[in-house]
Amino acid sequence: MSLRRDNFTKKDKYFMNIAINLAYSHKGYTGSNPSVGCVVVKNNNIVSYGVTSFFGRPHAEINALSKINKIKNSTVYLTLEPCVHFGKTPPCTSALIKAKVKKVIYSLEDTDPRTANKSKKILSQKNIIVKSGLLQNKSKKLYKNYNYSKKIKIPYLIAKLACSKKLKIFNDKSQISNIYSKQVTHVLRSQNQGILTTYKTINIDDPKLNCRIYGQEKFSPVRIIIDKDLRIKKNCYAISNSNPTIIFHSSKNKLKLNFLNSSGIKTYFINKDKDNLLNILDILKKVYQIGITSLLIESGPTFLKYMLKLDVINEFYLFKSNIKIPKTKTIDINHIIKQLAECYKLSRKVNTYLDKDLLLHYY
């Protein structure tokens, strides 16, 4: 149970704010693990700090405790409850006990059932003072995506679409966004473990769907393609390139499946729903089970409309370009905008100018 705010000092809040800022610095880059900030304080001075490593390991506590030897009798500030379970690494509670820290203050309880509300008892039994609830409202925002996926057991979904001022898109491969909008897209790709699209988008545009910001290439997402009848072209970039690609299908075409598997593509059979389409919720559950907890949707308006109807999109980025599209090359997306206005999950909106492009962020 969280303690009242008046049980914490100004210095406690100061150190926790630093821990929260540390956690934000790696948010989106720690895989299925949450990004945690850790600050170690002794005699009112910061003696060490850590944040969850890229791709999730080592954890923040391990990174902080391994920097110096004189941890004994220190106070450790954490944005999230320290883990208590054995996974690929030993629990962080064991590391805290071994370091003989005096006090642990964490902001938010972990929603992972393996740890939730268990660390306090374990640490207290070793005479370590434990407090929780410090700046928890700030931490709830930090772990919004993580808590959603843990609770619903599907990835946190973000969608994007680029259009003209008059809500039109090209009906071919032509580019509509400026360089700044494209850079934001690459940042979004780097911050999501997977990128969801359809075989139609692959066959029409042959996109790379990777992160091409210098130094961020290692954060390119896993490509996840919905292709009920395995109509994806054999010579497309998604198949010929070595980046991880997954295809969900309901086909019995053994020749195509053998070709895809021999090309390093992972394929998963999914049952059709009543509309003779692949069951999207089954796909999302499977993606979560694989260990992917965040997805960016990059597809055509038809699939986006379907996903909005299912009400599974948590955030939406709409890039409105200043350029004009010839009428012969346009597709109208007013229906998408109407759906956005009706979706309760996407009730808030922030506008940002990217030179002459306008970015509308619905969340």
Side-chain angles (χ1 to χ4, degrees):
M1 184 174 67
S2 299
L3 299 178
R4 294 188 308 169
R5 290 183 179 181
D6 57 6
N7 284 314
F8 298 110
T9 66
K10 287 184 178 180
K11 286 185 177 180
D12 287 331
K13 294 176 183 178
Y14 171 77
F15 294 128
M16 186 60 78
N17 266 316
I18 294 174
I20 290 172
N21 288 336
L22 282 169
Y24 268 114
S25 71
H26 280 197
K27 185 182 179 186
Y29 299 105
T30 57
S32 57
N33 285 341
S35 179
V36 176
C38 176
V39 175
V40 183
V41 176
K42 196 169 183 179
N43 299 324
N44 290 322
N45 292 312
I46 295 175
V47 294
S48 188
Y49 63 90
V51 63
T52 306
S53 296
F54 292 140
F55 306 110
R57 294 181 183 84
H59 290 182
E61 297 92 323
I62 306 304
N63 287 331
L65 296 176
S66 63
K67 286 182 179 179
I68 61 170
N69 295 321
K70 298 179 180 179
I71 298 291
K72 187 178 179 180
N73 293 325
S74 61
T75 298
V76 177
Y77 294 84
L78 292 165
T79 54
L80 194 68
E81 180 180 9
C83 65
V84 304
H85 60 278
F86 281 87
K88 293 183 179 180
T89 56
C92 290
T93 46
S94 296
L96 292 166
I97 292 167
K98 186 178 179 181
K100 297 182 180 180
V101 302
K102 181 179 180 180
K103 185 186 296 185
V104 172
I105 298 176
Y106 60 85
S107 181
L108 207 63
E109 282 81 13
D110 196 345
T111 52
D112 188 327
R114 296 172 298 178
T115 288
N117 295 305
K118 296 175 183 176
S119 65
K120 190 172 290 188
K121 180 180 178 181
I122 292 171
L123 294 172
S124 297
Q125 287 176 342
K126 299 297 181 178
N127 297 317
I128 296 173
I129 300 167
V130 186
K131 293 183 179 182
S132 63
L134 176 58
L135 301 184
Q136 60 182 345
N137 288 335
K138 279 192 174 184
S139 293
K140 283 178 182 178
K141 293 178 182 178
L142 171 63
Y143 295 114
K144 174 187 173 184
N145 306 18
Y146 170 74
N147 287 335
Y148 173 86
S149 63
K150 280 292 180 186
K151 181 180 179 181
I152 310 299
K153 307 298 182 187
I154 64 173
Y156 187 90
L157 268 68
I158 298 174
K160 67 162 286 285
L161 185 64
C163 66
S164 71
K165 267 187 177 181
K166 294 185 178 180
L167 305 178
K168 310 286 184 182
I169 65 173
F170 280 111
N171 60 10
D172 57 21
K173 291 184 179 182
S174 302
Q175 299 289 315
I176 193 169
S177 299
N178 67 22
I179 187 172
Y180 306 106
S181 293
K182 289 176 183 177
Q183 287 174 342
V184 172
T185 293
H186 284 287
V187 170
L188 287 172
R189 288 177 182 177
S190 73
Q191 292 177 337
N192 284 275
Q193 290 174 274
I195 190 162
L196 181 65
T197 191
T198 67
Y199 81 93
K200 289 183 180 179
T201 296
I202 297 293
N203 286 352
I204 293 171
D205 297 337
D206 196 18
K208 291 183 172 65
L209 299 180
N210 56 12
C211 178
R212 297 190 293 278
I213 295 177
Y214 180 75
Q216 297 289 89
E217 298 91 344
K218 64 182 179 181
F219 296 110
S220 288
V222 175
R223 290 180 293 243
I224 299 171
I225 303 167
I226 296 176
D227 186 5
K228 183 180 70 171
D229 300 312
L230 293 181
R231 294 180 181 176
I232 191 168
K233 293 178 180 178
K234 290 183 177 181
N235 62 346
C236 68
Y237 185 89
I239 291 176
S240 62
N241 180 261
S242 60
N243 281 1
T245 300
I246 296 170
I247 295 179
F248 287 97
H249 68 96
S250 62
S251 173
K252 296 180 180 179
N253 186 337
K254 291 184 179 179
L255 285 176
K256 192 69 171 281
L257 284 168
N258 288 336
F259 167 77
L260 293 171
N261 292 331
S262 66
S263 299
I265 310 300
K266 289 185 178 180
T267 57
Y268 293 95
F269 184 93
I270 294 290
N271 291 319
K272 300 174 191 175
D273 60 19
K274 62 181 180 180
D275 298 317
N276 200 37
L277 300 171
L278 293 188
N279 191 305
I280 294 296
L281 289 179
D282 285 349
I283 290 174
L284 294 177
K285 288 175 183 177
K286 183 62 180 179
V287 170
Y288 178 83
Q289 290 169 6
I290 292 169
I292 296 173
T293 59
S294 59
L295 280 180
L296 176 65
I297 304 173
E298 287 196 46
S299 70
T302 301
F303 184 66
L304 281 176
K305 182 180 179 181
Y306 181 64
M307 295 298 282
L308 283 167
K309 184 179 178 181
L310 290 178
D311 200 24
V312 292
I313 295 176
N314 302 94
E315 297 182 40
F316 198 106
Y317 287 83
L318 182 66
F319 297 86
K320 294 179 73 174
S321 172
N322 197 43
I323 71 170
K324 294 181 180 179
I325 304 177
K327 289 184 178 180
T328 55
K329 291 188 173 185
T330 61
I331 299 173
D332 190 285
I333 62 159
N334 269 290
H335 57 289
I336 296 286
I337 308 305
K338 184 179 179 181
Q339 277 187 288
L340 281 171
E342 294 172 351
C343 185
Y344 81 94
K345 278 187 180 178
L346 306 170
S347 58
R348 289 173 287 185
K349 183 174 67 174
V350 174
N351 295 348
T352 305
Y353 278 97
L354 303 169
D355 194 20
K356 293 182 180 180
D357 282 8
L358 174 63
L359 171 57
L360 292 83
H361 178 203
Y362 299 82
Y363 65 102

